[in-house]
Amino acid sequence: VGIDISDRLGAALVPFGILVVGLSLVLLTMVFRSVAVPVKATVGFLLSVGAAFGATAMVFEYGWLGSVFNVDQTAPVISFLPILLMGILFGLAMDYEVFLVSRMREEYVHGVARAGGPSRAVARAAVENGFVASSRVVVAAAVIMLSVFGAFVPEGDGPIKTIGFGLAVGVFIDAFVVRMTLVPAVLTLLGTKAWW
């Protein structure tokens, strides 16, 4: 039964991933009326998921830093972990993206109206002002989720520890590396093209 379930979940992983990525592209394109923002958000999500998968395999399958995370013996991760991680991280990543970028878009629209047209200076100011205004919300939300997921790591049992670890790593990478670092950097580099 376990082998059959693993096979079915493995076969469903790629279609599920395509659905999630496609859904994020379509929804974010509708919300932000931009091409670059949804592509950047989706690539960032894939980076976060990849990092979470990699770190989980590194610790729980290969035993690297196992003593730090109280992992006594290595074993393959549970078969439903990839789908679970992708689903939960998708929701959190898109929340963080919307918190940050919606304020940046708002600042950009108001800046264009005040300046009488788009410019690189307006785009840069929109990223800076939007980031300052909304970054505290993302930090607070990420710290809460890190605390919840991380609480299962030190003394959790088997699958629970693995799930908690994978989600904690995914949230950390997504919130602090992708959304708080890469998103403002990419939007600043793109300038007015980010909102085309």
Side-chain angles (χ1 to χ4, degrees):
V1 172
I3 292 170
D4 290 344
I5 290 172
S6 294
D7 289 344
R8 284 192 173 201
L9 288 172
L13 186 60
V14 172
F16 179 71
I18 291 169
L19 176 71
V20 167
V21 168
L23 188 63
S24 71
L25 285 170
V26 169
L27 291 175
L28 290 175
T29 300
M30 289 174 16
V31 169
F32 292 112
R33 288 169 273 176
S34 165
V35 174
V37 170
V39 169
K40 170 203 52 61
T42 303
V43 169
F45 164 69
L46 292 173
L47 286 172
S48 302
V49 168
F53 288 168
T56 303
M58 181 183 78
V59 172
F60 293 95
E61 286 190 23
Y62 301 115
W64 300 354
L65 301 173
S67 60
V68 174
F69 297 105
N70 197 20
V71 176
D72 296 329
Q73 68 182 51
T74 61
V77 295
I78 52 177
S79 57
F80 64 86
L81 180 67
I83 288 179
L84 186 71
L85 275 177
M86 284 179 71
I88 294 172
L89 286 179
F90 173 74
L92 294 171
M94 293 307 114
D95 282 349
Y96 301 155
E97 179 77 13
V98 170
F99 288 152
L100 278 174
V101 180
S102 61
R103 185 59 186 259
M104 292 174 189
R105 168 99 175 129
E106 193 176 295
E107 292 284 335
Y108 179 74
V109 170
H110 290 285
V112 167
R114 283 191 302 271
S119 72
R120 193 149 187 79
V122 168
R124 183 181 182 97
V127 172
E128 290 174 8
N129 295 336
F131 182 83
V132 168
S134 57
S135 62
R136 289 181 293 257
V137 174
V138 174
V139 169
V143 168
I144 290 167
M145 297 314 293
L146 275 170
S147 301
V148 170
F149 298 140
F152 294 106
V153 175
E155 298 302 324
D157 290 331
I160 301 297
K161 180 186 287 224
T162 309
I163 293 168
F165 179 83
L167 288 171
V169 168
V171 166
F172 177 81
I173 296 293
D174 193 79
F176 295 108
V177 176
V178 173
R179 306 299 158 199
M180 304 284 283
T181 306
L182 294 179
V183 165
V186 169
L187 290 177
T188 300
L189 289 172
L190 290 173
T192 57
K193 293 181 185 93
W195 309 108
W196 172 79

